[in-house]
């Protein structure tokens, strides 16, 4: 049986949401500062971070998936990708058997700049996380994934799968 939460589940949800909002605001500010460093608009910088992160995980993004992740229309996404490609920050490839599928990759320059910029904060966050047992962190990952899934239901237009 679940333990009683001080103030109830709704109160704990609010405390967690406030912590996540504050973390998100800090992440947004870091992204804005990274954009300034790169000389691009903040939306372009967030797209670069999404592309580089997916690339690093070995699951490169398509423009359609990226547009869902950063909420841009098809036309706006095309303009953004054109700017990033012209600046030498990304490449678009067709490496699938279905040549219509475009895959996005970040340049080595972006990876270097991101590591230089985010490395110190990542090291500090790793130090914080290293204080917790991996089981606790796995539970936290699960809770975050489930909370996101619950929110995605609200964000998904009727008739589309979440």
């Amino acid at each position: 049986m679940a333990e009683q939460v001080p103030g109830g589940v709704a109160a704990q949800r609010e405390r967690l949401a406030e912590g996540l909002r504050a973390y998100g605001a800090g992440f947004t500010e870091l992204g804005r500062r990274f954009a300034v460093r790169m000389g691009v608009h903040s939306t372009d910088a967030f797209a670069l971070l999404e592309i580089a992160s997916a690339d690093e995980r070995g699951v490169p993004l398509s423009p359609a998936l990226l547009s869902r992740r950063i909420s841009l229309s098809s036309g706006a996404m095309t303009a953004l990708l054109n700017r990033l490609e012209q600046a030498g920050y990304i490449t678009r490839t067709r490496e699938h058997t279905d040549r219509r599928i475009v895959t996005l990759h970040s340049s080595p320059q972006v990876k270097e700049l991101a590591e230089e910029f985010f490395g110190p904060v990542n090291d500090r966050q790793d130090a914080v996380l290293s204080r917790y047992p991996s089981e606790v962190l796995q539970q936290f990952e699960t809770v975050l994934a489930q909370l996101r899934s619950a929110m995605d239901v609200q964000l998904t237009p009727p008739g589309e799968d979440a």
Side-chain angles (χ1 to χ4, degrees), residues 1-18 143 147:
M1 185 165 182
E3 295 178 31
Q4 290 296 318
V5 177
V9 172
Q12 187 164 40
R13 175 183 38 78
E14 284 299 320
R15 290 190 301 272
L16 287 170
E18 179 53 34
V143 168
L147 288 171

Side-chain angles (χ1 to χ4, degrees), residues 3-152:
E3 295 178 31
Q4 290 296 318
V5 177
V9 172
Q12 187 164 40
R13 175 183 38 78
E14 284 299 320
R15 290 190 301 272
L16 287 170
E18 179 53 34
L20 290 170
R21 279 191 294 270
Y23 183 86
F27 183 82
T28 299
E29 179 58 17
L30 277 174
R32 188 194 65 73
R33 292 179 187 188
F34 181 65
V36 169
R37 170 86 52 95
M38 298 284 297
V40 299
H41 186 276
S42 60
T43 302
D44 293 16
F46 282 109
L48 277 171
L49 293 173
E50 288 288 339
I51 293 166
S53 178
D55 226 0
E56 192 171 300
R57 291 189 316 272
V59 287
L61 295 174
S62 67
L65 184 53
L66 179 60
S67 71
R68 282 189 299 232
R69 304 237 5 204
I70 63 172
S71 299
L72 287 180
S73 69
S74 176
M77 179 56 61
T78 298
L80 179 148
L81 293 175
N82 287 342
R83 286 191 304 272
L84 295 179
E85 193 169 44
Q86 288 170 355
Y89 292 143
I90 66 159
T91 57
R92 292 183 253 200
T93 62
R94 297 178 189 278
E95 53 203 47
H96 299 281
T97 54
D98 182 346
R99 302 294 292 162
R100 294 172 296 176
I101 298 174
V102 174
T103 305
L104 304 171
H105 298 279
S106 58
S107 72
Q109 176 190 14
V110 168
K111 293 172 187 172
E112 280 180 35
L113 291 169
E115 177 56 35
E116 176 187 307
F117 186 85
F118 290 100
V121 72
N122 288 343
D123 290 346
R124 288 190 297 277
Q125 289 182 349
D126 288 351
V128 169
L129 293 174
S130 71
R131 298 180 204 148
Y132 295 90
S134 65
E135 300 81 29
V136 170
L137 297 176
Q138 288 170 350
Q139 288 175 338
F140 187 60
E141 285 180 47
T142 299
V143 168
L144 286 176
Q146 291 171 347
L147 288 171
R148 182 174 174 198
S149 179
M151 189 177 297
D152 286 348

